[in-house]
Amino acid sequence: MLETSQRLLALLALLQTRPAWTGSELAERLEVTTRTVRNDVDRLRELGYPVDATRGPAGHYQLGVGAKLPPLLLDDEEAVAVAVGLRTGAGVVGMGESSVRALTKLQQVLPHRLQRQVNAINKAMDKGPDNTRSNVDAPEIDSAVLSMIAACIRDEHYLRFEYVVPDGVSMYKAGSGVGRDLPILVEPYRLVSWHGYWHLVARDEEAVWHSYRVDWMSLRMATGRKYQPRPMTDEAYTDFVLRDVASTGWKVHARITVYAPAQEVLSRIHAAVGIVESVDDNTSVLVTGADSLEVIAVYIGMLGLDFHVAGPPALVAHLRTVGERYLKAIDAPKDRR
């Protein structure tokens, strides 16, 4: 039988895992009598943790809402997932300071083995610019997968994995990591989180840089083989992912010549809209894309700057149609009857 203090923590952990438990279920899990469960529930109440009890044939216990926050009792995967989520949330407007405080508290009580995992992920990850696009479709990533990739980055070990684009996903969404013989062997360098998706920036066996969607990776057995690192600059990894997505991650892609300095264009767009390349002091190129011609037309129309579009042909035709429609809108109205 567990000591009383251990048993109380175990009881709290059980009460947090589902909405309701019967006394006999708790007694069986804790290997005690139902009377001991009742006594332990009273002890939790004395400590300030409200435990609601319902009597009768459908009687049960459940953790109520109270003034004190019960201790979070997390398993290893949950602890790593929460730490990674807090690290990602540190860039959210209005939540940065709170996320950092919570992450600091969590890391202070993590076992050493989990601290190594969390630290490896934190050092190996970057976060792309925020935007207002919904992330409801973003896939759930196994924290064990992130931990293994991050450990390979930390230890400078080759990473081997299979990369499969799910059925129904068009190739334009697959990114630069598609079309390789499987399994793929790479030198992993950085994890980048953007729009709710995780991307691995890595160099392949032909010394070519790629970005890979982590949710499409199936890791193989660890190689344990070290590589000689040839990294990008720290700030270049996120930029590489943004460029890769801009060139492969949308249905429609465009390079828009803008007759203004790059800094001026950057000041007028959201960082998640595209990449701006400087041509000279008065000209730049906006590399952008979207899932429709209409959205790109809106983006570039909101720049408030002169620009030129040479392609793709469908975008040129769409802009011509929109332009003619706008011109008609300011002409004298015609009888539409």
Side-chain angles (χ1 to χ4, degrees):
M1 182 184 297
L2 296 174
E3 296 293 334
T4 302
S5 57
Q6 293 177 297
R7 200 172 61 246
L8 290 180
L9 287 174
L11 176 57
L12 263 178
L14 289 173
L15 291 172
Q16 291 180 73
T17 58
R18 74 186 204 198
W21 290 83
T22 65
S24 58
E25 288 175 330
L26 291 172
E28 181 179 354
R29 292 292 293 270
L30 297 172
E31 299 181 347
V32 296
T33 64
T34 54
R35 179 175 180 177
T36 299
V37 170
R38 288 196 298 271
N39 292 336
D40 286 348
V41 166
D42 289 338
R43 291 189 180 96
L44 287 179
R45 289 168 175 162
E46 290 172 1
L47 293 171
Y49 302 123
V51 181
D52 299 332
T54 302
R55 297 183 182 277
H60 61 268
Y61 294 101
Q62 66 182 77
L63 195 61
V65 179
K68 288 189 177 182
L69 180 68
L72 279 175
L73 304 173
L74 307 172
D75 62 28
D76 289 4
E77 287 191 7
E78 291 171 339
V80 173
V82 170
V84 173
L86 289 171
R87 169 69 172 81
T88 305
V92 178
V93 175
M95 294 182 61
E97 185 177 340
S98 299
S99 296
V100 171
R101 285 203 311 270
L103 179 58
T104 300
K105 291 178 181 178
L106 178 59
Q107 288 181 314
Q108 286 175 346
V109 298
L110 286 177
H112 179 67
R113 68 181 187 284
L114 297 186
Q115 286 182 355
R116 279 178 54 81
Q117 290 186 44
V118 172
N119 289 338
I121 294 175
N122 287 345
K123 291 178 181 179
M125 72 170 283
D126 289 332
K127 188 173 182 293
D130 294 313
N131 76 350
T132 57
R133 195 171 84 181
S134 173
N135 291 339
V136 294
D137 295 328
E140 183 175 340
I141 302 297
D142 188 344
S143 61
V145 172
L146 290 179
S147 296
M148 182 176 292
I149 296 173
C152 288
I153 294 173
R154 178 194 63 207
D155 300 333
E156 298 173 352
H157 284 175
Y158 282 100
L159 182 69
R160 182 185 290 115
F161 57 91
E162 294 183 1
Y163 194 67
V164 179
V165 180
D167 292 338
V169 177
S170 301
M171 291 300 288
Y172 72 85
K173 289 186 176 180
S176 65
V178 171
R180 307 299 311 281
D181 291 334
L182 301 179
I184 298 173
L185 184 70
V186 299
E187 302 172 2
Y189 285 90
R190 194 63 56 92
L191 286 163
V192 178
S193 172
W194 189 41
H195 288 172
Y197 297 92
W198 286 87
H199 304 264
L200 169 66
V201 180
R203 191 197 301 267
D204 69 10
E205 295 176 277
E206 298 172 357
V208 177
W209 288 99
H210 295 281
S211 70
Y212 300 92
R213 280 265 300 267
V214 174
D215 56 307
W216 293 342
M217 297 168 57
S218 297
L219 301 187
R220 303 291 292 270
M221 185 177 297
T223 67
R225 291 170 47 202
K226 290 184 69 71
Y227 61 85
Q228 183 61 42
R230 295 166 290 172
M232 299 180 181
T233 59
D234 283 342
E235 62 275 8
Y237 293 105
T238 298
D239 185 63
F240 178 80
V241 169
L242 300 189
R243 286 177 180 272
D244 204 29
V245 172
S247 63
T248 63
W250 287 302
K251 284 183 178 178
V252 184
H253 305 94
R255 291 177 61 87
I256 313 297
T257 299
V258 184
Y259 300 110
Q263 251 344 95
E264 175 69 12
V265 179
L266 284 169
S267 69
R268 292 170 180 253
I269 69 170
H270 195 286
V273 168
I275 303 298
V276 179
E277 301 173 350
S278 178
V279 176
D280 55 40
D281 291 343
N282 299 307
T283 312
S284 56
V285 172
L286 171 62
V287 182
T288 188
D291 283 345
S292 70
L293 298 170
E294 290 79 8
V295 172
I296 294 184
V298 170
Y299 281 165
I300 57 181
M302 292 175 63
L303 284 175
L305 300 168
D306 292 336
F307 59 86
H308 173 71
V309 179
L315 179 59
V316 174
H318 177 71
L319 290 176
R320 182 175 290 112
T321 299
V322 171
E324 292 172 354
R325 185 173 295 135
Y326 283 165
L327 287 174
K328 290 178 181 177
I330 61 176
D331 289 340
K334 297 180 179 179
D335 188 351
R336 300 297 296 270
R337 289 178 295 177

